[in-house]
Amino acid sequence: MTRINNTLVLLLFSLFTIAQSECKDVLFIANSLFEEGKIQESIDALAPCIDNIKDKQEALEGYKILAIAYQEMREVEPLDVSIKKLLSLQPNYQKYPNGDP
């Protein structure tokens, strides 16, 4: 039984490490893709990693990128989820007049 538990712990740790390395520069990558007009690719890069971002400012930026990307793609439900998560991190969020749609 201990061997199975050790194997399971090792497997979970390996998956966590892989997820972290794949998400290392995800904000930069997602933002770059978005600016290149590759909106869906930006979403595809950021969405699986957004919940792994621990820094509050980075998470806010990630949810903002996702919200704008979902708005561009006219995907209402994930747009609402992204905005709600952004607002849960910063309830008094004010949009930038010339930067936020």
Side-chain angles (χ1 to χ4, degrees):
M1 185 70 166
T2 303
R3 184 175 176 169
I4 293 173
N5 287 342
N6 289 342
T7 304
L8 182 60
V9 168
L10 181 61
L11 177 63
L12 292 174
F13 179 75
S14 298
L15 291 174
F16 179 73
T17 304
I18 291 168
Q20 279 187 325
S21 66
E22 289 177 1
C23 295
K24 182 179 178 197
D25 297 319
V26 71
L27 285 178
F28 176 77
I29 293 167
N31 193 47
S32 296
L33 289 167
F34 184 86
E35 288 178 358
E36 292 173 13
K38 298 176 180 176
I39 309 300
Q40 187 60 55
E41 290 88 342
S42 176
I43 293 170
D44 294 342
L46 185 53
C49 295
I50 192 71
D51 291 331
N52 296 330
I53 298 173
K54 301 302 179 205
D55 181 80
K56 183 179 176 181
Q57 285 305 118
E58 289 181 2
L60 285 168
E61 184 63 27
Y63 285 119
K64 181 178 170 183
I65 292 169
L66 277 178
I68 294 169
Y70 285 130
Q71 182 177 6
E72 289 287 321
M73 298 297 291
R74 292 176 172 48
E75 294 184 29
V76 176
E77 190 172 321
L79 167 63
D80 287 344
V81 170
S82 297
I83 291 172
K84 287 177 183 175
K85 288 187 176 185
L86 184 145
L87 291 173
S88 73
L89 289 172
Q90 187 173 350
N92 61 344
Y93 178 81
Q94 298 291 314
K95 74 177 203 159
Y96 297 103
N98 297 325
D100 292 344

